[in-house]
Amino acid sequence: MPLIAEIAISVLLVVAGLFGLVGSYGLLRLPDAMTRLHAPTKATTVGVGGVLLASMLYFAVNGSVSWHELLIALFLFLTAPITANLVAKAHMHREMSQGELPDSDTGRVWATFERPGAPIAPVLTSAAPVESAKS
Amino acid sequence: MIALALNFAFCCFGLALLFNLYRVIRAPVLTDRVLALDTMVINMIALLVLFGIKLGSGMNFEAALLFAMTGFVSTVAYCKFMLRGDIIE
Protein backbone atom coordinates (compact mmCIF):
# COMPACT_ATOMS: atom_id res chain seq x y z
CA MET A 1 0.00 0.00 0.00
CA PRO A 2 1.42 3.42 -0.91
CA LEU A 3 2.37 5.65 1.99
CA ILE A 4 0.06 8.49 0.96
CA ALA A 5 -2.99 6.19 1.04
CA GLU A 6 -1.95 4.89 4.44
CA ILE A 7 -1.64 8.43 5.81
CA ALA A 8 -5.01 9.44 4.33
CA ILE A 9 -6.78 6.41 5.81
CA SER A 10 -5.19 6.93 9.23
CA VAL A 11 -6.10 10.63 9.32
CA LEU A 12 -9.69 9.85 8.31
CA LEU A 13 -9.97 7.19 11.01
CA VAL A 14 -8.56 9.44 13.74
CA VAL A 15 -10.78 12.39 12.79
CA ALA A 16 -13.84 10.13 12.61
CA GLY A 17 -13.10 8.61 16.01
CA LEU A 18 -12.63 12.03 17.62
CA PHE A 19 -15.88 13.34 16.16
CA GLY A 20 -17.79 10.25 17.25
CA LEU A 21 -16.45 10.69 20.78
CA VAL A 22 -17.22 14.43 20.85
CA GLY A 23 -20.76 13.81 19.56
CA SER A 24 -21.53 11.37 22.34
CA TYR A 25 -19.79 13.52 24.96
CA GLY A 26 -21.97 16.42 23.87
CA LEU A 27 -25.01 14.25 24.48
CA LEU A 28 -23.87 14.03 28.10
CA ARG A 29 -22.70 17.58 28.71
CA LEU A 30 -24.93 20.04 26.84
CA PRO A 31 -27.41 21.85 29.08
CA ASP A 32 -30.90 21.21 27.65
CA ALA A 33 -32.66 18.73 25.41
CA MET A 34 -32.85 20.83 22.27
CA THR A 35 -29.10 21.58 22.34
CA ARG A 36 -28.39 17.93 23.11
CA LEU A 37 -30.14 17.12 19.85
CA HIS A 38 -27.39 19.00 18.03
CA ALA A 39 -24.37 16.96 19.17
CA PRO A 40 -25.11 13.45 17.81
CA THR A 41 -25.86 14.87 14.35
CA LYS A 42 -22.18 15.76 14.05
CA ALA A 43 -21.28 12.23 15.11
CA THR A 44 -23.40 10.89 12.25
CA THR A 45 -22.12 13.19 9.55
CA VAL A 46 -18.40 13.40 10.20
CA GLY A 47 -17.88 10.38 12.47
CA VAL A 48 -19.59 7.65 10.49
CA GLY A 49 -18.93 9.49 7.21
CA GLY A 50 -15.18 9.51 7.92
CA VAL A 51 -15.15 5.83 8.86
CA LEU A 52 -17.05 4.91 5.68
CA LEU A 53 -14.72 7.05 3.55
CA ALA A 54 -11.67 5.40 5.14
CA SER A 55 -13.18 1.97 4.49
CA MET A 56 -13.88 2.84 0.84
CA LEU A 57 -10.32 4.10 0.38
CA TYR A 58 -8.87 1.01 2.10
CA PHE A 59 -10.76 -1.45 -0.09
CA ALA A 60 -10.13 0.61 -3.25
CA VAL A 61 -6.36 0.58 -2.62
CA ASN A 62 -6.46 -3.16 -1.88
CA GLY A 63 -7.93 -3.79 -5.33
CA SER A 64 -11.60 -4.46 -4.65
CA VAL A 65 -13.79 -1.36 -4.92
CA SER A 66 -16.97 -1.72 -2.85
CA TRP A 67 -20.03 0.48 -3.12
CA HIS A 68 -21.75 -0.70 0.09
CA GLU A 69 -20.24 2.15 2.10
CA LEU A 70 -21.70 4.71 -0.27
CA LEU A 71 -25.11 3.10 0.20
CA ILE A 72 -24.82 3.21 4.00
CA ALA A 73 -23.60 6.82 3.95
CA LEU A 74 -26.44 7.87 1.65
CA PHE A 75 -29.01 6.15 3.84
CA LEU A 76 -27.64 7.68 7.05
CA PHE A 77 -27.41 11.18 5.59
CA LEU A 78 -31.00 10.91 4.37
CA THR A 79 -32.45 9.59 7.62
CA ALA A 80 -30.50 11.64 10.20
CA PRO A 81 -32.49 14.90 9.66
CA ILE A 82 -35.80 13.00 9.73
CA THR A 83 -34.87 11.39 13.04
CA ALA A 84 -33.75 14.72 14.52
CA ASN A 85 -36.97 16.40 13.39
CA LEU A 86 -39.13 13.70 14.93
CA VAL A 87 -37.23 13.76 18.23
CA ALA A 88 -37.59 17.56 18.36
CA LYS A 89 -41.33 17.29 17.68
CA ALA A 90 -41.73 14.68 20.41
CA HIS A 91 -39.81 16.94 22.82
CA MET A 92 -42.03 19.92 21.92
CA HIS A 93 -45.10 17.80 22.45
CA ARG A 94 -44.06 16.39 25.81
CA GLU A 95 -42.04 19.07 27.58
CA MET A 96 -42.83 22.51 26.17
CA SER A 97 -45.87 24.74 26.45
CA GLN A 98 -47.39 27.27 24.05
CA GLY A 99 -45.70 30.27 25.69
CA GLU A 100 -42.15 28.94 25.38
CA LEU A 101 -42.27 28.57 21.60
CA PRO A 102 -42.00 31.36 19.02
CA ASP A 103 -44.95 32.24 16.82
CA SER A 104 -45.59 29.65 14.11
CA ASP A 105 -46.11 32.42 11.47
CA THR A 106 -49.19 30.70 10.06
CA GLY A 107 -51.86 32.42 12.14
CA ARG A 108 -52.49 29.16 13.95
CA VAL A 109 -50.95 27.41 16.94
CA TRP A 110 -48.25 24.79 16.50
CA ALA A 111 -49.76 21.55 15.28
CA THR A 112 -48.72 19.80 18.50
CA PHE A 113 -51.04 21.99 20.60
CA GLU A 114 -54.03 21.89 18.29
CA ARG A 115 -57.28 20.59 19.75
CA PRO A 116 -57.78 16.91 18.89
CA GLY A 117 -60.51 16.54 16.29
CA ALA A 118 -60.14 20.09 14.98
CA PRO A 119 -61.03 20.44 11.28
CA ILE A 120 -58.03 20.18 9.01
CA ALA A 121 -57.52 23.29 6.88
CA PRO A 122 -54.68 24.13 4.49
CA VAL A 123 -52.03 26.33 6.10
CA LEU A 124 -50.87 29.28 3.99
CA THR A 125 -47.31 30.14 4.93
CA SER A 126 -46.89 33.21 2.70
CA ALA A 127 -47.06 36.59 4.45
CA ALA A 128 -49.27 38.24 1.82
CA PRO A 129 -52.96 37.26 1.80
CA VAL A 130 -53.74 35.00 -1.13
CA GLU A 131 -56.64 36.02 -3.41
CA SER A 132 -59.37 33.43 -3.41
CA ALA A 133 -60.54 31.98 -6.72
CA LYS A 134 -64.14 33.27 -6.36
CA SER A 135 -63.46 37.03 -6.27
CA MET B 1 0.08 3.05 11.03
CA ILE B 2 -3.39 2.00 9.92
CA ALA B 3 -3.53 -0.58 12.71
CA LEU B 4 -2.74 2.13 15.27
CA ALA B 5 -5.38 4.53 13.88
CA LEU B 6 -7.84 1.64 13.76
CA ASN B 7 -7.28 0.88 17.43
CA PHE B 8 -7.68 4.56 18.30
CA ALA B 9 -10.99 4.71 16.44
CA PHE B 10 -12.15 1.49 18.15
CA CYS B 11 -11.42 3.05 21.55
CA CYS B 12 -13.19 6.30 20.65
CA PHE B 13 -16.37 4.63 19.44
CA GLY B 14 -16.36 2.17 22.34
CA LEU B 15 -16.11 5.05 24.81
CA ALA B 16 -18.87 6.87 22.89
CA LEU B 17 -21.09 3.78 23.27
CA LEU B 18 -20.48 3.82 27.04
CA PHE B 19 -21.45 7.53 27.19
CA ASN B 20 -24.64 6.72 25.31
CA LEU B 21 -25.42 3.83 27.64
CA TYR B 22 -25.10 6.17 30.61
CA ARG B 23 -27.47 8.60 28.88
CA VAL B 24 -29.98 5.81 28.23
CA ILE B 25 -29.96 4.81 31.90
CA ARG B 26 -29.92 8.30 33.42
CA ALA B 27 -31.66 11.02 31.41
CA PRO B 28 -33.55 14.14 32.47
CA VAL B 29 -36.29 13.79 29.83
CA LEU B 30 -37.62 10.83 27.86
CA THR B 31 -36.61 12.12 24.42
CA ASP B 32 -32.96 12.04 25.53
CA ARG B 33 -33.19 8.28 25.95
CA VAL B 34 -34.55 7.85 22.42
CA LEU B 35 -31.84 10.13 21.06
CA ALA B 36 -29.17 8.17 22.98
CA LEU B 37 -30.49 4.89 21.55
CA ASP B 38 -30.35 6.36 18.05
CA THR B 39 -26.77 7.52 18.63
CA MET B 40 -25.91 4.06 19.96
CA VAL B 41 -27.07 2.54 16.66
CA ILE B 42 -24.95 5.03 14.73
CA ASN B 43 -21.86 4.27 16.82
CA MET B 44 -22.53 0.55 16.35
CA ILE B 45 -22.55 1.04 12.56
CA ALA B 46 -19.19 2.78 12.79
CA LEU B 47 -17.82 -0.08 14.91
CA LEU B 48 -19.08 -2.67 12.41
CA VAL B 49 -17.41 -0.86 9.49
CA LEU B 50 -14.17 -0.56 11.50
CA PHE B 51 -14.35 -4.28 12.18
CA GLY B 52 -14.76 -4.86 8.43
CA ILE B 53 -11.54 -2.91 7.80
CA LYS B 54 -9.72 -4.89 10.50
CA LEU B 55 -10.77 -8.25 9.05
CA GLY B 56 -10.38 -7.09 5.45
CA SER B 57 -13.73 -8.62 4.50
CA GLY B 58 -16.82 -7.08 2.94
CA MET B 59 -19.17 -9.28 4.95
CA ASN B 60 -19.92 -6.63 7.58
CA PHE B 61 -21.51 -4.09 5.29
CA GLU B 62 -24.79 -5.94 4.98
CA ALA B 63 -24.97 -6.05 8.77
CA ALA B 64 -24.20 -2.32 8.96
CA LEU B 65 -26.88 -1.52 6.40
CA LEU B 66 -29.44 -3.61 8.29
CA PHE B 67 -28.46 -1.85 11.51
CA ALA B 68 -28.97 1.53 9.85
CA MET B 69 -32.43 0.58 8.60
CA THR B 70 -33.73 -1.01 11.81
CA GLY B 71 -32.26 1.86 13.84
CA PHE B 72 -34.07 4.45 11.77
CA VAL B 73 -37.38 2.59 11.84
CA SER B 74 -37.21 2.01 15.61
CA THR B 75 -36.44 5.66 16.34
CA VAL B 76 -39.34 6.78 14.15
CA ALA B 77 -41.60 4.28 15.93
CA TYR B 78 -40.55 5.56 19.37
CA CYS B 79 -41.13 9.19 18.36
CA LYS B 80 -44.46 8.39 16.74
CA PHE B 81 -45.53 6.61 19.90
CA MET B 82 -44.58 9.60 22.07
CA LEU B 83 -46.36 12.00 19.73
CA ARG B 84 -49.56 10.09 19.06
CA GLY B 85 -49.80 7.28 21.60
CA ASP B 86 -49.92 4.86 18.70
CA ILE B 87 -47.49 3.82 15.98
CA ILE B 88 -49.67 2.92 13.00
CA GLU B 89 -53.03 4.68 13.16
Side-chain angles (χ1 to χ4, degrees), chain A:
Chain A
M1 185 179 295
L3 183 65
I4 183 83
E6 217 169 295
I7 290 173
I9 293 169
S10 304
V11 166
L12 276 172
L13 283 176
V14 168
V15 168
L18 279 178
F19 264 85
L21 191 61
V22 166
S24 293
Y25 186 64
L27 193 62
L28 284 187
R29 293 291 301 185
L30 286 174
D32 78 296
M34 283 301 202
T35 51
R36 273 195 291 269
L37 196 57
H38 157 90
T41 340
K42 307 298 159 294
T44 315
T45 318
V46 187
V48 181
V51 168
L52 290 168
L53 217 61
S55 168
M56 262 187 112
L57 204 60
Y58 181 82
F59 284 107
V61 169
N62 278 2
S64 60
V65 182
S66 73
W67 298 101
H68 293 266
E69 291 95 332
L70 210 60
L71 210 62
I72 299 171
L74 200 69
F75 187 80
L76 280 179
F77 288 1
L78 278 178
T79 56
I82 303 172
T83 317
N85 185 21
L86 274 170
V87 171
K89 272 167 86 171
H91 178 73
M92 261 170 70
H93 181 68
R94 287 180 60 86
E95 311 288 339
M96 292 176 122
S97 62
Q98 186 85 61
E100 288 175 82
L101 291 169
D103 191 41
S104 70
D105 269 352
T106 58
R108 298 166 57 161
V109 293
W110 288 91
T112 307
F113 304 116
E114 219 151 56
R115 187 165 48 84
I120 298 168
V123 174
L124 305 171
T125 48
S126 63
V130 178
E131 296 291 322
S132 70
K134 279 184 295 183
S135 58

